Amino acid sequence: AQSVTQPDARVTVSEGASLQLRCKYSYFGTPYLFWYVQYPRQGLQLLLKYYPGDPVVQGVNGFEAEFSKSNSSFHLRKASVHWSDWAVYFCAVSLDTNAYKVIFGKGTHLHVLP
Amino acid sequence: EAGVTQSPRYAVLQEGQAVSFWCDPISGHDTLYWYQQPRDQGPQLLVYFRDEAVIDNSQLPSDRFSAVRPKGTNSTLKIQSAKQGDTATYLCASSDWGQDTQYFGPGTRLLVL
């Protein structure tokens, strides 16, 4: 069955350090993948999305993600974390090309130390 | 442009009580989604509409849950006879049909005692 696994429930990094949030997916066929961010007391916002093509996808606020078919992964990266990046990050896979039905992972809480 | 709005922001009720959640999508968006997000979990799709029509409600947990969108704009999600297991945040999202980006509201946090 299609699924998304985010193995790290919580990640703590220092401000200015680099970041990688891990995501593994299970999907039969061509996956359409997303990263969403949920800031405190706000709704989810789309960071970036992957459709078949260039495996490295650029998003907002300096985030990027790399798709790997061989590893079934879609990890999120940022070169230098800012305190405002403190949030919960969700990886998701769409069951259709228009993303009507999306399966989300459990999320990774990112804590940023000053 | 106003985003997706939801009310109430919080609800606390006893088991057996009914509750309704209201969602106002982004103006012009014809597709509306309801999600349930238990604590420390990702959102799980409950139902989605195109205009006033239900496209898929197969993930509504039980007959206790119902959702309507009578005029193809605002929507109401209702839980009859709530149970403790319904404790979660209920999210509404909207989009243009055929577009892959969903825009989420802030959610309604439900606690069932």
Side-chain angles (χ1 to χ4, degrees), chain A residues 30-76:
Chain A
T30 303
Y32 298 85
L33 297 158
F34 304 82
W35 276 99
Y36 278 84
V37 60
Q38 188 173 34
Y39 297 108
R41 294 175 297 282
Q42 296 185 30
L44 279 77
Q45 301 171 28
L46 181 68
L47 273 180
L48 48 81
K49 56 189 174 185
Y50 167 78
Y51 289 124
D54 189 337
V56 178
V57 181
Q58 302 297 322
V60 298
N61 298 334
F63 285 94
E64 68 174 26
E66 183 167 6
F67 168 75
S68 171
K69 184 175 182 179
S70 60
N71 294 324
S72 298
S73 67
F74 188 56
H75 300 331
L76 182 70

Side-chain angles (χ1 to χ4, degrees), chain A residues 6 32 34 36 38 40-46 49 51 88 90-91 94 96-107 109, chain B residues 9-10 31 33 35 37 40-45 48 56 58-59 89 91 95-107:
Chain A
Q6 294 180 248
Y32 298 85
F34 304 82
Y36 278 84
Q38 188 173 34
R41 294 175 297 282
Q42 296 185 30
L44 279 77
Q45 301 171 28
L46 181 68
K49 56 189 174 185
Y51 289 124
V88 184
F90 294 94
C91 182
S94 173
D96 56 82
T97 57
N98 292 116
Y100 300 133
K101 299 184 75 170
V102 177
I103 295 177
F104 287 84
K106 292 185 177 182
H109 290 247
Chain B
R9 293 298 305 272
Y10 304 93
T31 310
Y33 309 80
Y35 290 84
Q37 185 179 15
D40 294 328
Q41 300 283 325
Q44 299 161 15
L45 181 66
Y48 71 102
D56 189 335
S58 61
Q59 301 304 310
T89 298
L91 302 172
S95 70
D96 285 320
W97 182 260
Q99 299 300 310
D100 56 27
T101 300
Q102 297 183 25
Y103 297 85
F104 285 80

Side-chain angles (χ1 to χ4, degrees), chain B:
Chain B
E1 176 182 278
V4 177
T5 56
Q6 294 185 244
S7 64
R9 293 298 305 272
Y10 304 93
V12 181
L13 51 150
Q14 300 289 331
E15 275 199 324
Q17 290 185 305
V19 63
S20 292
F21 310 127
W22 180 82
C23 174
D24 188 4
I26 291 173
S27 178
H29 280 185
D30 54 3
T31 310
L32 186 146
Y33 309 80
W34 283 104
Y35 290 84
Q36 181 190 60
Q37 185 179 15
R39 184 177 177 84
D40 294 328
Q41 300 283 325
Q44 299 161 15
L45 181 66
L46 295 175
V47 58
Y48 71 102
F49 298 83
R50 182 182 183 184
D51 298 319
E52 68 277 6
V54 173
I55 302 302
D56 189 335
N57 63 359
S58 61
Q59 301 304 310
L60 280 175
S62 71
D63 291 344
R64 297 184 297 106
F65 285 70
S66 63
V68 294
R69 193 184 185 201
K71 297 182 179 180
T73 52
N74 302 334
S75 177
T76 302
L77 176 68
K78 185 174 183 178
I79 306 176
Q80 300 270 18
S81 189
K83 298 183 178 182
Q84 289 186 353
D86 300 330
T87 293
T89 298
Y90 291 83
L91 302 172
C92 179
S94 69
S95 70
D96 285 320
W97 182 260
Q99 299 300 310
D100 56 27
T101 300
Q102 297 183 25
Y103 297 85
F104 285 80
T108 296
R109 295 181 66 177
L110 172 67
L111 174 62
V112 183
L113 302 173

